[in-house]
Amino acid sequence: IGADHRTFKAKVVGADPETDVAVIQIDGDHLPVLPLGDSDQLRVGDWAIAIGNPLGQLRGSVTVGIVSALGRTDLNIFGGTPDYQDFIQTDASINFGNSGGPLCNIRGEVVGINTAVNTSGQGIGFAVPINLAKHVADQLVAHGSVRRAMLGVVLAEFTPDLAAGFGLPGQQGVLIQRVVDGSPAAKAGLQRNDLIVR
């Protein structure tokens, strides 16, 4: 149901649970749209405007705040946690029912899709960056699913203690913890305990 009380039937073009992004198609005319912005240009401290339908009954609610962090990962999200996380964090109030609504910049451009809240804190909401959503949506429209490359390694931070243990004090990089059998990494000759420095 739209803001003008018209009702539409929607067809799911494709869904990607790994990022919590989906594309739906509706038939209609005079549909309002917002321009898409560039989430790669966001900076901490930028204005953030969240629009949505919080609590399932407050249609068209708008809340304002700032972008408080970029690239948030390792979140445990109530209702399902996406595998690929690169969230915009904002203190613009996001409540249950806001999900799927736009997070806009001061110019009214969509820079994110409101996705999740931290139920144990106040003023902590998360949105999928619009550039990630566009990339996923393009693949869903073209193929009906998202195609992802797979390297086949599990990486670990190369801490100062590990560096000392390897006799490489001061060296920076990431350590290969595990190589998946038959993976591209294994075929390329990468091995456990290899150090990647660039």
Side-chain angles (χ1 to χ4, degrees), residues 153-159 162 173-178 194-195:
V153 294
V154 176
L155 301 175
E157 182 182 358
F158 196 60
T159 64
L162 279 174
V174 291
L175 189 69
I176 295 180
Q177 258 186 340
R178 186 170 66 89
D194 279 350
L195 179 63

Side-chain angles (χ1 to χ4, degrees), residues 43-197:
R43 297 173 300 171
V44 171
D46 282 350
W47 287 100
I49 303 165
I51 304 171
N53 187 23
L55 311 179
Q57 58 188 359
L58 302 174
R59 180 181 299 150
S61 291
V62 179
T63 54
V64 178
I66 63 166
V67 172
S68 49
L70 298 167
R72 288 292 196 209
T73 60
D74 300 324
L75 304 179
N76 187 10
I77 297 172
F78 178 79
T81 302
D83 292 334
Y84 299 100
Q85 299 185 20
D86 182 24
F87 288 113
I88 301 163
Q89 182 180 319
T90 179
D91 69 343
S93 294
I94 295 175
N95 294 282
F96 291 107
N98 271 106
S99 294
L103 183 72
C104 298
N105 60 22
I106 197 82
R107 293 177 296 280
E109 300 166 334
V110 179
V111 292
I113 301 174
N114 301 325
T115 302
V117 296
N118 185 322
T119 56
S120 60
Q122 292 185 358
I124 306 174
F126 303 97
V128 173
I130 199 63
N131 289 6
L132 172 60
K134 285 191 291 189
H135 176 69
V136 169
D138 288 345
Q139 292 195 61
L140 291 175
V141 170
H143 311 292
S145 63
V146 177
R147 299 174 178 178
R148 292 187 168 91
M150 192 271 288
L151 184 59
V153 294
V154 176
L155 301 175
E157 182 182 358
F158 196 60
T159 64
D161 287 343
L162 279 174
F166 276 83
L168 299 169
Q171 178 66 60
Q172 295 184 337
V174 291
L175 189 69
I176 295 180
Q177 258 186 340
R178 186 170 66 89
V179 178
V180 177
D181 290 340
S183 69
K187 292 175 183 174
L190 294 178
Q191 298 178 21
R192 185 176 185 270
N193 288 336
D194 279 350
L195 179 63
I196 301 172
V197 297

